[in-house]
Amino acid sequence: MSAGARTGDGAGRTTTLADVAAAAGVAVSTVSRALSDPGRVNAVTRERIQQVADQLGYVRPGAAPVRSDQTQAIGVLMPDTSNPFFFDMIRGAQRELKASGRYLLLIDTEGSDHLEELLLTRARIRCDGAVLLAPRLTDARIDAVERSTVPLVTVNRPRRNGPSVVIDSASGFGQAVEHLVSLGHRRLIYVSGPRSSWSNERRWRTITRTAARLGVKVTRTGPHPPVGAAGTGAAEAVVNSGATGVLVFNDMIALSMLQRFAERSLRVPEDLSVVGCDDVFASACSHPALTSISSPAEQAGRVAVSLLLSSAPARQRSPVLPTHLVVRASTGPAPA
């Protein structure tokens, strides 16, 4: 029977996997999968198991011990606290940290590379390590900051000399191009994200390759900041382009574009088909519901923290997490 590392009652007994399984009403093997490989367990069961584990104070065996000179905190730096895409990442990071007896310190960098570096440097006395979500710093600066501060793991920025977690949104955009072409669209446009975004350029390369293979035209507009306010200008650029299939850097921009198209009496999907990225909660509730590329954001947060707390050999891994296209009402046949 596997034991946790935290006292489960007043007698000093540790909470075990079996304790969590009994309280959650599932098998021990299900608990083990839910806590170590959450992608293999359905979301409802995983959520119930995690809640029970938290209530019982279960800590996974083998979690790196906390030294007396450590702060027990891990910093998570995010570029935009208003973007719901990052919420699931933070949730995953928090749960992984809680399982190891640590806590999360959230830092908003406001999408600024200068502020990102400054706050990371200042956080070194408060954190034992940091996870950088979609960092804006160059690879060289990330490596330099890590040497002078604390261990780092990046999300959506692969590193030559350190661990990273990559969400493969580029392949999702390839699926999106194929989807639009299958609906008869022959003129596509990509609403580009920030120039400093590594994933933005990777998506564009995949879009152009897929479009060339399928024999359709694709252009792009931008760069645009990854916020809803960018949607109005992006929508105008799309209308002037003559494209009928629209691929958007993220759902925040895409949802704002849907509103602007409605204001201009343009019908979606009758006149324009729109695909977003990240599949945030509001995407399924918009009118029309937004076709979007779904990302395993919570898993990315968990994996990033796991790499940060792992031993040196394990930290050299750079896992790539797959994405998939969720088709909703914002895409349809190309206009005649």
Side-chain angles (χ1 to χ4, degrees), residues 36-285:
S36 62
D37 191 4
R40 298 176 60 193
V41 180
N42 76 71
V44 175
T45 302
R46 182 175 70 237
E47 182 73 21
R48 185 172 78 252
I49 289 171
Q50 186 63 57
Q51 289 178 355
V52 171
D54 292 345
Q55 291 168 1
L56 297 180
Y58 176 78
V59 177
R60 286 201 315 275
V66 179
R67 302 191 313 265
S68 60
D69 61 338
Q70 290 181 316
T71 67
Q72 303 184 30
I74 296 297
V76 175
L77 284 75
M78 61 185 296
D80 182 7
T81 53
S82 68
N83 190 337
F85 170 63
F86 295 111
F87 296 168
D88 284 342
M89 282 191 194
I90 294 168
R91 184 182 300 111
Q94 168 67 16
R95 288 176 172 172
E96 191 70 17
L97 286 169
K98 193 169 185 178
S100 66
R102 292 170 170 83
Y103 66 93
L104 180 150
L105 178 62
L106 183 62
I107 302 171
D108 181 8
T109 67
E110 302 177 12
S112 163
D113 55 349
H114 171 73
L115 194 57
E116 186 173 73
E117 184 171 1
L118 175 64
L119 294 176
L120 185 57
T121 302
R122 289 180 176 177
R124 62 186 174 186
I125 62 174
R126 297 181 178 90
C127 303
D128 301 321
V131 175
L132 308 183
L133 306 182
R136 299 295 188 248
L137 289 170
T138 65
D139 294 345
R141 291 307 304 156
I142 291 174
D143 291 342
V145 170
E146 181 174 36
R147 286 193 295 268
S148 63
T149 57
V150 293
L152 304 176
V153 173
T154 57
V155 177
N156 273 358
R157 170 67 72 82
R159 302 173 60 198
R160 184 185 302 273
N161 301 313
S164 64
V165 180
V166 173
I167 296 176
D168 188 15
S169 56
S171 68
F173 274 92
Q175 296 172 41
V177 171
E178 292 174 345
H179 171 62
L180 291 173
V181 172
S182 75
L183 293 170
H185 295 275
R186 294 296 179 267
R187 296 188 66 179
L188 310 180
I189 187 168
Y190 174 53
V191 177
S192 178
R195 195 184 308 276
S196 59
S197 168
W198 171 84
S199 64
N200 183 61
E201 290 305 312
R202 188 164 178 267
R203 294 171 186 184
W204 174 240
R205 289 195 297 270
T206 299
I207 289 169
T208 54
R209 284 198 301 265
T210 308
R213 174 170 57 83
L214 298 176
V216 298
K217 294 182 178 180
V218 60
T219 58
R220 68 171 166 175
T221 176
H224 299 281
V227 296
T232 299
E236 296 300 324
V238 166
V239 172
N240 293 331
S241 73
T244 62
V246 188
L247 304 130
V248 189
F249 176 77
N250 71 6
D251 288 352
M252 299 287 285
I253 302 174
L255 292 169
S256 178
M257 292 176 68
L258 292 181
Q259 181 177 353
R260 181 57 178 166
F261 290 145
E263 292 169 353
R264 293 200 51 170
S265 299
L266 290 168
R267 301 167 301 164
V268 176
E270 291 83 0
D271 300 321
L272 292 165
S273 285
V274 181
V275 179
C277 182
D278 298 337
D279 196 23
V280 301
F281 176 78
S283 299
C285 307

